[in-house]
Coordinates of all heavy atoms in Angstrom, one line a residue:
E1 N -0.9 7.3 66.9 CA -1.9 7.2 68.0 C -1.3 7.2 69.3 O -0.8 6.2 69.7 CB -2.7 5.9 67.7 CG -3.9 6.1 66.9 CD -4.8 7.2 67.4 OE1 -5.3 7.3 68.5 OE2 -5.1 8.2 66.5
I2 N -1.3 8.2 70.0 CA -0.9 8.2 71.3 C -2.1 8.6 72.3 O -2.9 9.5 72.0 CB 0.1 9.4 71.7 CG1 1.4 9.0 71.0 CG2 0.2 9.6 73.2 CD1 2.2 8.1 71.8
T3 N -2.3 7.7 73.3 CA -3.4 7.9 74.3 C -2.8 8.0 75.5 O -1.8 7.5 75.8 CB -4.5 6.8 74.1 OG1 -3.9 5.6 74.4 CG2 -5.2 6.8 72.8
S4 N -3.5 8.6 76.4 CA -2.9 8.8 77.8 C -2.9 7.3 78.5 O -3.9 6.7 78.3 CB -3.7 9.7 78.7 OG -3.2 9.8 80.0
P5 N -1.7 7.0 79.0 CA -1.7 5.6 79.5 C -2.1 5.4 80.9 O -1.8 4.5 81.7 CB -0.1 5.4 79.5 CG 0.4 6.7 79.6 CD -0.4 7.7 79.0
T6 N -3.0 6.2 81.3 CA -3.5 6.4 82.7 C -3.9 5.0 83.4 O -3.6 4.7 84.4 CB -4.6 7.4 82.9 OG1 -4.3 8.7 82.4 CG2 -5.1 7.4 84.2
F7 N -4.5 4.3 82.5 CA -5.0 2.9 83.0 C -4.0 1.9 82.9 O -4.1 0.8 83.4 CB -6.3 2.6 82.4 CG -7.3 3.6 82.8 CD1 -7.9 4.5 82.0 CD2 -7.9 3.6 84.2 CE1 -8.9 5.4 82.3 CE2 -8.8 4.6 84.6 CZ -9.2 5.3 83.6
N8 N -3.1 2.0 81.9 CA -2.0 1.0 81.5 C -0.7 1.3 82.3 O 0.1 0.4 82.5 CB -1.7 0.9 80.1 CG -2.9 0.5 79.2 OD1 -4.0 1.1 79.3 ND2 -2.8 -0.6 78.6
I9 N -0.5 2.5 82.8 CA 0.7 2.9 83.4 C 1.8 3.0 82.4 O 2.4 4.1 82.2 CB 1.2 2.2 84.6 CG1 -0.1 2.3 85.7 CG2 2.4 2.8 85.2 CD1 0.3 1.5 86.9
I10 N 2.2 2.1 81.6 CA 3.1 2.0 80.6 C 2.7 1.6 79.3 O 2.1 0.4 79.2 CB 4.4 1.2 81.0 CG1 5.0 1.6 82.3 CG2 5.4 1.2 79.8 CD1 6.1 0.7 82.8
K11 N 2.7 2.5 78.2 CA 2.4 2.0 77.0 C 3.6 2.1 76.0 O 4.3 2.9 76.0 CB 1.3 2.9 76.3 CG -0.1 2.6 76.9 CD -1.1 3.4 76.0 CE -2.5 2.9 76.3 NZ -3.6 3.6 75.5
E12 N 3.7 1.1 75.1 CA 4.8 0.9 74.2 C 4.4 1.2 72.9 O 3.4 0.6 72.4 CB 5.5 -0.5 74.4 CG 6.0 -0.8 75.8 CD 6.8 -2.2 75.9 OE1 7.3 -2.6 74.8 OE2 6.8 -2.7 76.9
Y13 N 5.2 1.9 72.2 CA 4.9 2.3 70.8 C 6.2 1.9 69.9 O 7.2 2.1 70.4 CB 4.5 3.8 70.6 CG 3.3 4.1 71.3 CD1 3.3 4.6 72.6 CD2 2.0 3.9 70.8 CE1 2.2 4.9 73.3 CE2 0.8 4.4 71.4 CZ 1.0 4.9 72.7 OH -0.1 5.2 73.4
N14 N 5.9 1.6 68.6 CA 7.1 1.3 67.8 C 7.2 2.5 66.7 O 6.2 2.8 66.1 CB 6.9 0.1 67.0 CG 7.2 -1.1 68.0 OD1 8.0 -1.1 68.8 ND2 6.4 -2.2 67.9
G15 N 8.3 3.2 66.7 CA 8.5 4.2 65.7 C 10.0 4.2 65.3 O 10.6 3.0 65.2
E16 N 10.6 5.2 65.0 CA 12.0 5.2 64.6 C 12.9 4.6 65.7 O 13.8 3.9 65.5 CB 12.5 6.7 64.4 CG 11.9 7.4 63.2 CD 12.1 8.9 63.2 OE1 13.0 9.2 63.9 OE2 11.4 9.6 62.4
L17 N 12.5 4.8 67.0 CA 13.0 4.1 68.2 C 11.7 3.7 69.0 O 10.7 4.3 68.7 CB 13.9 5.1 69.1 CG 15.1 5.5 68.6 CD1 15.7 6.5 69.7 CD2 16.2 4.4 68.5
P18 N 11.8 2.7 69.8 CA 10.6 2.4 70.5 C 10.5 3.6 71.5 O 11.2 4.3 71.9 CB 11.1 1.2 71.5 CG 12.2 0.7 70.7 CD 12.9 1.8 69.9
L19 N 9.0 3.9 71.7 CA 8.7 5.0 72.7 C 7.9 4.3 73.8 O 7.0 3.6 73.6 CB 7.8 6.0 72.0 CG 7.2 7.1 72.9 CD1 8.3 8.0 73.5 CD2 6.2 7.9 72.1
Y20 N 8.4 4.6 75.1 CA 7.7 4.1 76.1 C 7.1 5.3 77.0 O 7.7 6.1 77.4 CB 8.7 3.3 77.1 CG 9.5 2.3 76.4 CD1 10.9 2.5 76.2 CD2 8.9 1.2 75.8 CE1 11.7 1.6 75.5 CE2 9.7 0.4 75.0 CZ 11.0 0.4 74.9 OH 11.8 -0.4 74.2
H21 N 5.7 5.3 77.1 CA 5.0 6.3 77.5 C 4.4 6.0 78.9 O 3.7 5.0 78.9 CB 3.9 6.7 76.6 CG 3.0 8.0 77.0 ND1 1.8 8.2 76.5 CD2 3.3 9.0 77.8 CE1 1.3 9.3 77.0 NE2 2.2 9.8 77.8
V22 N 4.9 6.6 79.9 CA 4.6 6.2 81.3 C 3.9 7.3 82.0 O 4.1 8.4 81.9 CB 6.0 5.9 82.0 CG1 5.7 5.5 83.5 CG2 6.8 5.0 81.3
D23 N 2.8 6.9 82.7 CA 2.0 7.8 83.4 C 1.8 7.3 84.9 O 1.2 6.3 85.1 CB 0.7 8.0 82.9 CG -0.2 9.2 83.5 OD1 0.0 9.4 84.8 OD2 -1.0 9.8 82.8
V24 N 2.6 7.9 85.8 CA 2.6 7.3 87.1 C 1.6 8.0 88.1 O 1.6 7.7 89.3 CB 4.0 7.3 87.8 CG1 4.9 6.5 87.0 CG2 4.4 8.8 87.8
Y25 N 0.6 8.8 87.5 CA -0.2 9.4 88.4 C -1.1 8.5 89.4 O -1.2 8.9 90.5 CB -1.2 10.3 87.5 CG -2.2 11.2 88.2 CD1 -1.8 12.3 88.9 CD2 -3.6 10.9 88.4 CE1 -2.6 13.2 89.6 CE2 -4.5 11.7 89.0 CZ -4.0 12.7 89.7 OH -4.8 13.6 90.4

């Protein structure tokens, strides 16, 4: 489940490695 982090700016996900999804728009 990946959603655009537009309102959170940074979203963290746990996978094989952590994934930090950043949207600075």
Side-chain angles (χ1 to χ4, degrees):
E1 269 307 303
I2 287 281
T3 55
S4 180
T6 302
F7 296 105
N8 297 57
I9 302 175
I10 300 173
K11 280 194 169 179
E12 299 184 23
Y13 299 92
N14 291 315
E16 295 168 14
L17 288 174
L19 175 65
Y20 309 115
H21 185 200
V22 183
D23 185 331
V24 297
Y25 184 72

